[in-house]
Amino acid sequence: MKLKRACFLIVLFFGYWVNAQEKPNVLFIIVDDWGYHDLSANGSVMYNTPNVDDLAKNGFVFQNAYASYPRCVPSRYAILTGTYPLNENKGNLGSTPTARNFPKQFADAGYNSFYVGKWHLGSGEDSPTGMGFKSSFAAGDSGGTDSRFYPFNKKRTKGSKGEKAPIEDVEEYANPGDYLSDVLTKRTIEYIKENKNKPFMGVLAYYAVHTPIEAKEVDIKRNEEQLKEIDFGDGPEYTKEGNGDTRMKQNYAPYAALVENVDENIGKLIETLKAEGIYNKTLIVLTSDHGGLSTRGPNNRLIPTSNAPLRAGKGWIYEGGTKVPLIFKLPNGTSGVDTESIVMGMDVFPTIIDLALNKKINGIDGISVKGSILGKEIQEERTVFWNSYKARPQQTGDDKTSAIRIGDYKLLQFVESGKVELYNVAEDISEQKDLSQIFPEKAEAMVATLEKFKKDKKVKMKANHKGGNKNIEIEKSTTKNGNKKNNNDKEENR
């Protein structure tokens, strides 16, 4: 596979720095429900994201980056474990072996670490500190907020689990009138300043741009004025998709305001790093947990953005549900664009550890793409898989689906209907031309590879919509004495 690059510049100082065992700081930013086209650098004419665009211009961008799952919890589980999210219902992040535990790799290397924002993967031993981060803020079980404005947890009660759980810490820390993303940024800046004289590894996971779609009035009014000047053409605002509809135009001002507030906060973080003299000592990584919320089922919910020309959105394994922004801003490092390599969410932390610590992590599904970033190697054609077992036909209109991508070709296998679709996503980014009948042998071969993956991973997709771990069968783990091991299940409805 030929690797195409633009604006490519290798600065040898980065390689010298790592080899000399100097330790770069790490700031990993995850935006929630942030679609590939939700930034102006990727073609949005409505959402103005100058700070993210500048980060992309000065960093290394992967244009074929994908979430490992098109929903929040499984995707985040993949990011934090470097594995396919086939067993995320079992949780137990705190019991991740040290050799495969990402925050503990940094602790062993002398880093201070912190986690700010959406965790959604458990509490106690499964919390950020339980997994190995030294400090955390606004994390825990909560998958969202009741309001983006103080006091945030309007209907949530302390001690609740899952979707009813309140966001930790924020009401004690924040003040009336505060906006949640601003609060998370402020706390992250405090952590940065506290650790500026020693290496740190920090994760900031915004609860934005997930629902609720609430923004500051001044930002909404600015975008309403901008909307008056934009011609979106005569095409339909919605098209049919699966069990519902897909939004085709980015013309909802409150969502634009929400996106732009996140960009503004990212700008504050960059300015802080520069003011503290550590911008050129910090590896900044920016991505999303999956595609934007652009599809709905019969519930007729608000769908605030569009991923067009990508098909569908959150919940779907079409490109709109899985393709995400991914930027690596290296300290005095490489800038460029990789238009070929397939990179998954489960690859991000292995790559960060390889770049920062010059260390490979074994025993996981994710890979390091450090070689691609530094221009030292061309990634060979890669086969990747998805299994969307937590369908939400009423919420986001999707049905349970398995998928495989090999090179430019992606095949989707719909569990309930048995239908197979095949696309060349390099030539047909909107996934409109089904090639399964044109290339039946290729489709058959890809189905066989997909089925072998599921068999090897002991996964059997069930054709129902009851939710939770009942949608997937995985061989139960056992203790050394042969007894079944009981773990707390977690259900994800976001």
Side-chain angles (χ1 to χ4, degrees), residues 1 3 58 177 211 245 266 288 372 389 410 436 442 459 463:
M1 180 183 293
L3 186 62
N58 293 291
T211 55
D245 307 300
I266 289 172
S288 172
S372 296
Y389 49 88
K410 185 170 75 174
S436 61
K442 176 179 282 291
V459 171

Side-chain angles (χ1 to χ4, degrees), residues 195-241:
N195 291 280
K196 66 179 182 179
N197 295 320
K198 47 199 168 188
F200 66 81
M201 186 277 288
V203 179
L204 168 56
Y206 287 108
Y207 285 88
V209 294
H210 194 290
T211 55
I213 310 303
E214 297 178 343
K216 299 174 184 178
E217 192 63 31
V218 63
D219 294 336
I220 294 174
K221 289 181 178 179
R222 181 186 67 248
N223 282 282
E224 287 175 339
E225 290 301 311
Q226 183 184 352
L227 264 176
K228 297 176 183 178
E229 307 298 323
I230 299 176
D231 181 5
F232 290 98
D234 298 327
E237 187 164 351
Y238 299 95
T239 60
K240 297 299 294 181
E241 186 69 77

